[in-house]
């Protein structure tokens, strides 16, 4: 297969299923089962509203007396990564060399799915979650999505959850509350944006890194290497 400069049309290569006499149905442009993603995001928001601050047993550097992390912290990570998992496909190698039109369509669909998912998640959580926690989750969601994009590009879109889960474990282990009730400046998962704006900067920086990794398709990477 070749890239868009050779004129390959991925639209013509995708499998088609008949839905009626003379009709064909083509799968979404690189984004699979958006309805399932939205349903899982909705369920995640409902669980946050239900469990709230119930602690999940995760280890910390402070020992057993400070072990655990709020359930909303883990569920926010889950919600942020879910849209990325919709990129998984058994035809990933073929899609990677698709036309620029295909990649623009997939990026648009993914962006729309992500924005809808985040609005749905935060809207459901806002029913019973206090404003401070809602602010923290809203600030961390871009980072979880960015880490999911990085993980998906490096390990495959099905494994988009691995890097976010690893970061959550590391941040949860080292990001222990100090004597003043604050958290380390780099812990974007626990500090409200108003109190520690640098956390939002880290979150947006991770999102930007993930978007760059998503943009860096194999044929773009080969082109950059040839120029260098």
């Amino acid at each position: 297969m070749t890239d868009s400069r050779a004129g390959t049309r991925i639209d013509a290569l995708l499998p088609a299923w008949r839905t009626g006499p003379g009709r064909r149905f083509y799968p979404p442009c690189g984004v699979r089962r958006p309805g399932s993603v939205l349903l899982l995001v909705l369920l995640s928001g409902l669980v946050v509203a239900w469990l709230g601050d119930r602690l999940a047993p995760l280890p910390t550097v402070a020992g057993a007396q400070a072990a655990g992390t709020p359930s909303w912290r883990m569920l926010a990570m889950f919600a942020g990564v879910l849209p990325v998992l919709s990129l998984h496909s058994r035809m990933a190698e073929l899609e990677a060399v698709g036309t620029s039109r295909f990649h623009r369509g997939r990026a648009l669909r993914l962006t729309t799915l992500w924005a809808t998912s985040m609005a749905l998640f935060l809207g459901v959580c806002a029913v019973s979650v206090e404003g401070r926690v809602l602010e923290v989750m809203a600030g961390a969601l871009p980072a979880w999505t960015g880490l999911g994009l990085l993980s998906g590009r490096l390990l495959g879109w099905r494994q988009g959850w691995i890097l976010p889960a690893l970061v959550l474990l590391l941040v949860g282990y080292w990001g222990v509350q100090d004597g003043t009730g604050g958290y380390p400046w780099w812990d974007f998962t626990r500090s409200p944006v108003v109190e520690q704006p640098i956390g939002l900067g880290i979150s947006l920086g991770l999102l930007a890194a993930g978007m760059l990794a998503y943009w860096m398709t194999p044929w773009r990477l080969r082109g950059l290497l040839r120029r260098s």
Side-chain angles (χ1 to χ4, degrees):
M1 298 299 170
T2 58
D3 58 35
S4 58
R5 289 168 297 179
T8 299
R9 287 298 302 268
I10 193 163
D11 310 40
L13 297 175
L14 287 172
W17 292 270
R18 289 192 179 276
T19 58
R23 295 185 179 181
R24 289 178 179 271
F25 167 72
Y26 290 89
C29 185
V31 177
R32 270 81 186 174
R33 300 185 179 181
S36 299
V37 171
L38 292 174
L39 177 59
L40 289 173
V41 168
L42 173 62
L43 292 176
S44 300
L46 291 174
V47 174
V48 170
W50 176 37
L51 295 180
D53 291 330
R54 185 173 297 182
L55 294 180
L58 293 179
T60 67
V61 70
Q65 68 273 16
T69 188
S71 299
W72 56 260
R73 197 181 189 191
M74 300 180 64
L75 289 163
M77 183 271 289
F78 183 62
V81 172
L82 273 172
V84 177
L85 300 183
S86 69
L87 296 174
H88 169 67
S89 170
R90 289 175 294 181
M91 303 177 65
E93 294 183 1
L94 178 61
E95 292 180 353
V97 294
T99 63
S100 57
R101 179 182 177 184
F102 169 81
H103 287 285
R104 285 196 302 269
R106 184 170 70 165
L108 178 60
R109 286 169 172 80
L110 179 61
T111 301
T112 302
L113 178 61
W114 181 81
T116 305
S117 299
M118 298 307 99
L120 179 63
F121 177 73
L122 294 174
V124 173
C125 292
V127 174
S128 62
V129 174
E130 62 176 304
R132 187 176 187 274
V133 173
L134 195 67
E135 180 185 347
V136 173
M137 288 193 296
L141 284 173
W144 295 132
T145 304
L147 289 169
L149 290 170
L150 280 170
S151 183
R153 177 59 75 194
L154 293 173
L155 305 174
W157 297 118
R158 177 179 284 180
Q159 285 75 40
W161 59 271
I162 293 180
L163 187 56
L166 179 61
V167 169
L168 177 63
L169 289 173
L170 293 176
V171 171
Y173 184 79
W174 294 105
V176 179
Q177 195 174 32
D178 58 25
T180 63
Y183 292 92
W185 62 268
W186 42 262
D187 188 354
F188 62 88
T189 68
R190 294 292 291 269
S191 299
V193 176
V194 175
E195 296 178 12
Q196 216 163 37
I198 193 170
L200 179 61
I202 293 174
S203 182
L204 294 177
L206 289 172
L207 178 61
M211 293 172 64
L212 178 62
Y214 174 83
W215 178 84
M216 195 66 68
T217 56
W219 61 269
R220 281 195 177 110
L221 182 59
R222 288 195 296 269
L224 290 175
L225 291 176
R226 281 197 297 267
R227 294 190 189 98
S228 61

